[in-house]
Amino acid sequence: MTFHDLVVNAERLLADLRDLSVFGRNAGGGIDRASFSAADATAREWLAGRCAEAGLEVMTDAVGNIFVSSPRLEEGIAHHPAVWTGSHIDAVPDGGAFDGALGVIAAIEVLRTLHEAGTGLTRPVRAVSFSDEEGSFAHLFGSSAIARGFGVDQLEAMIGRDGARLAEALPSALTVSLADAAAVGPPPEGVAAYVELHIEQGSLLEASGVPIGVVTGIVAIGGGTVRFRGRADHAGTTPLDRRQDAGLAASEFAVALPALASATSADAVVTTGIMRFDPAGSNIVPGGAEVSVDFRDVELERAIDLGNRIAASASEIASRRGVGVEIEFEETVPGARMNDAVRGAIAGAAAGLGLDAIDIRSGAGHDAQNMALIAPTGMIFVPSVGGRSHSPAEYTRDDDVVRGASVLLRTVLALVRG
Amino acid sequence: MTFHDLVVNAERLLADLRDLSVFGRNAGGGIDRASFSAADATAREWLAGRCAEAGLEVMTDAVGNIFVSSPRLEEGIAHHPAVWTGSHIDAVPDGGAFDGALGVIAAIEVLRTLHEAGTGLTRPVRAVSFSDEEGSFAHLFGSSAIARGFGVDQLEAMIGRDGARLAEALPSALTVSLADAAAVGPPPEGVAAYVELHIEQGSLLEASGVPIGVVTGIVAIGGGTVRFRGRADHAGTTPLDRRQDAGLAASEFAVALPALASATSADAVVTTGIMRFDPAGSNIVPGGAEVSVDFRDVELERAIDLGNRIAASASEIASRRGVGVEIEFEETVPGARMNDAVRGAIAGAAAGLGLDAIDIRSGAGHDAQNMALIAPTGMIFVPSVGGRSHSPAEYTRDDDVVRGASVLLRTVLALVRG
């Protein structure tokens, strides 16, 4: 047989995707599986077990990235630059069963299919599951460690969404030191190519009736936290005109953001996902208020411009309302263009399977944007029903899952041939 | 000697007030002492110790109200209607050292002074510390139990600010059953009068340069929780015009409230002290948002009208933004007029001490409004520096503390004479 005739095992693929989705499932049907949580640990254990059953080898690096390989396929070529494919198995709070999980399970299915077919590949193929893509500690954490690296001081400073320090969570989950984690980087031999299968998380494919999206690029993303500081006062005895209400400043700020994004470009979006008042008593005028800001645009320049307008708006509102403000935005992440050769491989794979494909832009950040810094990189999108994502309602039909994995297999084969 | 010559022990009063303020003190200097918390338990223990040292008797009822009496003063008259004076020792989150605490410590100092002077009173005097005035479980909890009573089902349903059930917190703190708590009510012999010393929590006395306020009445208070229900979506891939953002609806609602209050009356105030988004991820459009609302006005009718306008505004914003809304307001508490005879006793006491006094309205709720349902009731206010309250910055000068306690002693003596 030739590798070109290979097909993925659809039943096994769909069963694995379902099985993974039980780890961290909450009462409302959503998935709570932050990296280095208890649910993440059991998911990692299950994944390692599935790989072992298939005769694959599993290695976890010091930031929690999982690499899966086939000893049989790598005989004699283990130190050649490999083709990597994967995604992540962590989820946002109350997230869905497809974001990330699809790309990891499909990557393992592709590797398993190749492993079963036997030897003959000219480059190693590795399935990857990057840790903490959803940024419980840092957005795209695992792939950032590989492509850009972290200093021990940066790792020391990371605080999780639940308030825990990475310096405690990481060593206890992986038995590593922060020095080990800081040493993580790209493999010395380089990476031949990276390709990631992911759900669209939007509704363009569904609206177009097209099963495959060939990603052209990933948007630039900026944001961080804005903290307003007013004065806590008694809710009953402090006249409205004598208050320094940090909560009202934060609320007015949140309401002002969408218009700032729309004024920047038709592609820009902005989101306030977290708002917290302090001291948070119903009969106390809030003395403090914390607001998260997430803004994105296709063009880095425009995203940076939007960030500046947002900061200016926070300052204007704070000064008009007589409260203080502290703006803590991380550096805006540039996004990435996808590699032409990899895009060509994906488009060719789809065409070879008789599947329509269109070019599409990613509004979400992905590990692929880090991998694009060190390797020719591409992404395959499959439709999300109703465009829903980061929610328990996230869903991609079985047929689309199998089509995506099939295009991934053919793309990987094309990239192995180089 | 005659009781009329008595003066409070200023040093002992100020020392006790300082000593009480250490229980629940946090790193920022604020006080975290919710009823039935660990800090509350140690404060109760300290208070009982101070009373025992003075030869006073302490009794705690099944909802946590503390009653202090002098066996010597009550010889032969223990079952006559008593004059009660007191306040509460619990605090709002990150609260101050005077709200409530002043009224309890001054009441104990008054009783201690009378106890030391010996027998001769024609009515018992009792110092009272009402439990959970600040509503960790229910606003004015302890005095509500006495004046209005709770059913076991109402007690069963109470959930604390920290998420604990009263049904667990109360029995474990006091070794009582909910049936015991439901049996709490007014004493069979009635209450001769109730008078409460409290800080103003506003700045009218300070601005007027007057040391004593004679409270004329307590404002009506309404409010509760408004929950907006939209759709959680991905922050990067969901266009602004396709979102059902519960957080934006909640923020717009909070911003709209002050103008609704101002349009109702010059006395009306409204506060959003708590705002929480769900699922609270920085890259997730909020699917849910919860907002606390506290509104007050001098006139019950106007307060009810304001509550209706607030509810209508929530519905309008929700419908315009395409999200659901659930409004859960408790019944608006009517406030209370203070008793003319008690007001006269307070004014006479101040005059007898050569202290200026003015009539003043209370913008905050107090246990006195419940006591007004079962006894002739009055309140004495002393100045709050800068009008600050429900905050670590809450402060009343030593001189004003002593003046307030002195007026309280004279008022209690006048009420005992009846």
Side-chain angles (χ1 to χ4, degrees):
Chain A
M1 76 179 292
T2 70
F3 279 113
H4 197 265
D5 299 323
L6 287 176
V7 289
V8 296
N9 182 329
E11 250 175 64
R12 187 169 61 179
L13 168 72
L14 294 167
D16 276 355
L17 196 54
R18 266 195 308 274
D19 288 353
L20 174 57
S21 78
V22 304
F23 304 107
R25 177 86 66 170
N26 61 36
I31 292 174
D32 292 313
R33 196 166 62 223
S35 266
F36 313 128
S37 65
D40 180 54
T42 50
R44 285 168 179 271
E45 212 171 306
W46 170 85
L47 199 71
R50 287 298 288 154
C51 292
E53 286 167 31
L56 302 176
E57 263 184 17
V58 173
M59 193 279 283
T60 301
D61 72 12
V63 295
N65 296 316
I66 300 169
F67 295 90
V68 185
S69 55
S70 157
R72 178 200 293 181
L73 291 177
E74 296 199 10
E75 232 180 273
I77 55 166
H79 294 293
H80 292 208
V83 172
W84 288 11
T85 176
S87 191
H88 61 93
I89 59 166
D90 65 311
V92 295
D94 203 27
F98 295 84
D99 177 357
L102 170 64
V104 172
I105 295 300
I108 287 170
E109 178 55 30
V110 163
L111 182 57
R112 198 158 42 186
T113 302
L114 295 173
H115 175 80
E116 288 167 353
T119 58
L121 294 184
T122 52
R123 281 174 178 166
V125 174
R126 307 253 166 83
V128 191
S129 176
F130 292 108
S131 71
D132 198 21
E133 196 266 355
E134 299 291 6
S136 172
F137 289 94
H139 190 52
L140 311 178
F141 173 69
S143 58
S144 295
I146 288 175
R148 304 190 288 178
F150 288 116
V152 170
D153 50 335
Q154 289 176 290
L155 297 168
E156 275 284 1
M158 288 181 188
I159 306 285
R161 199 176 276 140
D162 65 354
R165 294 174 58 226
L166 181 73
E168 281 163 22
L170 190 65
S172 91
L174 302 174
T175 332
V176 296
S177 69
L178 288 196
D180 297 333
V184 169
E189 72 276 11
V191 177
Y194 175 70
V195 58
E196 178 167 353
L197 172 64
H198 206 281
I199 58 168
E200 181 195 346
Q201 309 181 270
S203 52
L204 189 61
L205 291 177
E206 190 181 55
S208 314
V210 172
I212 299 293
V214 183
V215 176
T216 55
I218 297 171
V219 297
I221 304 181
T225 305
V226 175
R227 289 182 192 84
F228 294 94
R229 177 59 43 196
R231 206 178 62 188
D233 271 313
H234 191 290
T237 60
T238 318
L240 295 175
D241 60 3
R242 298 282 295 275
R243 299 181 176 193
Q244 294 173 19
D245 188 328
L248 278 182
S251 300
E252 184 182 343
F253 173 64
V255 171
L257 295 182
L260 295 178
S262 302
T264 302
S265 92
D267 296 314
V269 288
V270 63
T271 304
T272 292
I274 303 172
M275 171 132 26
R276 286 196 195 100
F277 290 179
D278 175 49
S282 63
N283 55 358
I284 313 173
V285 176
E290 190 177 300
V291 187
S292 75
V293 179
D294 174 301
F295 57 88
R296 311 183 187 213
D297 199 347
V298 180
E299 297 295 333
L300 175 62
E301 289 308 309
R302 289 204 309 236
I304 291 172
D305 178 52
L306 175 55
N308 291 338
R309 286 163 189 248
I310 289 169
S313 169
S315 300
E316 187 276 321
I317 289 166
S319 117
R320 178 160 40 75
R321 288 189 172 267
V323 302
V325 68
E326 191 187 306
I327 298 159
E328 212 175 281
F329 283 171
E330 289 160 39
E331 202 178 332
T332 299
V333 179
R337 296 190 147 277
M338 296 293 96
N339 177 273
D340 286 343
V342 181
R343 286 173 57 183
I346 297 167
L353 291 163
L355 298 171
D356 283 344
I358 53 171
D359 283 351
I360 190 166
R361 191 171 62 217
S362 173
H366 293 287
D367 293 311
Q369 74 199 62
N370 278 323
M371 290 305 296
L373 298 172
I374 60 165
T377 291
M379 288 191 80
I380 305 162
F381 273 1
V382 288
S384 300
V385 173
R388 308 295 307 281
S389 182
H390 281 193
S391 135
E394 189 176 272
Y395 183 62
T396 290
R397 293 183 211 287
D398 288 355
D399 282 356
D400 288 322
V401 166
V402 176
R403 285 186 193 112
S406 303
V407 171
L408 181 65
L409 172 60
R410 296 260 184 141
T411 303
V412 165
L413 283 170
L415 294 171
V416 166
R417 280 191 301 268
Chain B
M1 77 178 293
T2 70
F3 280 115
H4 196 265
D5 299 323
L6 288 177
V7 289
V8 296
N9 182 329
E11 250 174 64
R12 187 170 60 179
L13 168 72
L14 294 167
D16 277 355
L17 195 54
R18 268 194 308 274
D19 288 352
L20 173 57
S21 78
V22 304
F23 303 107
R25 176 87 63 171
N26 62 35
I31 293 175
D32 292 313
R33 195 167 63 224
S35 267
F36 313 128
S37 66
D40 179 55
T42 50
R44 285 168 179 270
E45 212 171 305
W46 170 85
L47 199 70
R50 288 298 287 155
C51 291
E53 285 167 31
L56 302 175
E57 264 184 20
V58 173
M59 192 278 281
T60 302
D61 72 12
V63 296
N65 295 316
I66 299 169
F67 295 89
V68 186
S69 56
S70 157
R72 179 201 292 182
L73 291 177
E74 297 198 9
E75 231 180 274
I77 56 165
H79 294 293
H80 292 208
V83 171
W84 289 11
T85 176
S87 191
H88 60 94
I89 60 166
D90 65 311
V92 295
D94 203 27
F98 295 83
D99 178 356
L102 169 63
V104 172
I105 295 298
I108 287 169
E109 178 56 30
V110 163
L111 182 56
R112 198 158 42 185
T113 304
L114 295 174
H115 175 80
E116 289 166 352
T119 57
L121 295 184
T122 52
R123 280 175 180 163
V125 173
R126 306 252 166 83
V128 191
S129 176
F130 292 109
S131 72
D132 198 20
E133 195 268 354
E134 299 292 6
S136 173
F137 290 93
H139 189 53
L140 310 178
F141 173 69
S143 58
S144 295
I146 289 176
R148 304 191 285 178
F150 289 115
V152 170
D153 51 335
Q154 289 176 288
L155 297 168
E156 275 284 1
M158 288 181 187
I159 306 285
R161 198 177 276 138
D162 64 354
R165 294 174 57 226
L166 181 74
E168 281 165 20
L170 190 66
S172 92
L174 302 175
T175 334
V176 294
S177 70
L178 288 195
D180 298 333
V184 169
E189 71 277 12
V191 178
Y194 176 70
V195 59
E196 177 168 355
L197 171 64
H198 206 283
I199 58 168
E200 181 195 346
Q201 309 180 270
S203 52
L204 187 62
L205 291 177
E206 191 181 56
S208 315
V210 172
I212 299 294
V214 182
V215 176
T216 56
I218 296 171
V219 296
I221 305 181
T225 304
V226 175
R227 290 184 191 83
F228 293 93
R229 177 59 44 196
R231 205 177 62 188
D233 271 314
H234 191 290
T237 59
T238 318
L240 296 175
D241 59 3
R242 299 282 294 275
R243 298 181 177 194
Q244 294 173 17
D245 188 327
L248 278 182
S251 299
E252 184 183 344
F253 173 65
V255 171
L257 295 183
L260 295 180
S262 302
T264 303
S265 92
D267 297 313
V269 289
V270 63
T271 304
T272 292
I274 304 172
M275 169 128 31
R276 288 197 195 97
F277 290 177
D278 176 48
S282 63
N283 54 359
I284 313 173
V285 176
E290 189 177 300
V291 187
S292 74
V293 179
D294 173 303
F295 57 88
R296 311 182 188 214
D297 199 348
V298 180
E299 298 295 332
L300 175 62
E301 289 309 308
R302 290 204 309 237
I304 291 171
D305 179 51
L306 175 54
N308 291 337
R309 286 163 187 248
I310 289 169
S313 169
S315 300
E316 186 277 321
I317 289 166
S319 119
R320 178 161 40 76
R321 288 188 173 268
V323 301
V325 67
E326 191 187 307
I327 298 159
E328 211 175 282
F329 284 171
E330 290 161 38
E331 201 178 333
T332 299
V333 179
R337 295 190 147 277
M338 296 293 97
N339 176 272
D340 286 343
V342 180
R343 286 173 58 182
I346 296 166
L353 291 163
L355 298 171
D356 283 344
I358 53 170
D359 282 352
I360 189 167
R361 193 172 59 217
S362 174
H366 293 289
D367 293 310
Q369 73 200 60
N370 278 323
M371 289 305 295
L373 299 172
I374 61 165
T377 290
M379 288 191 81
I380 304 162
F381 274 1
V382 288
S384 299
V385 173
R388 309 295 306 281
S389 182
H390 282 193
S391 134
E394 189 175 270
Y395 184 62
T396 291
R397 293 184 211 287
D398 287 356
D399 282 357
D400 287 322
V401 167
V402 176
R403 285 187 193 110
S406 303
V407 171
L408 181 66
L409 173 59
R410 297 260 183 139
T411 303
V412 166
L413 284 170
L415 294 171
V416 166
R417 280 191 300 268

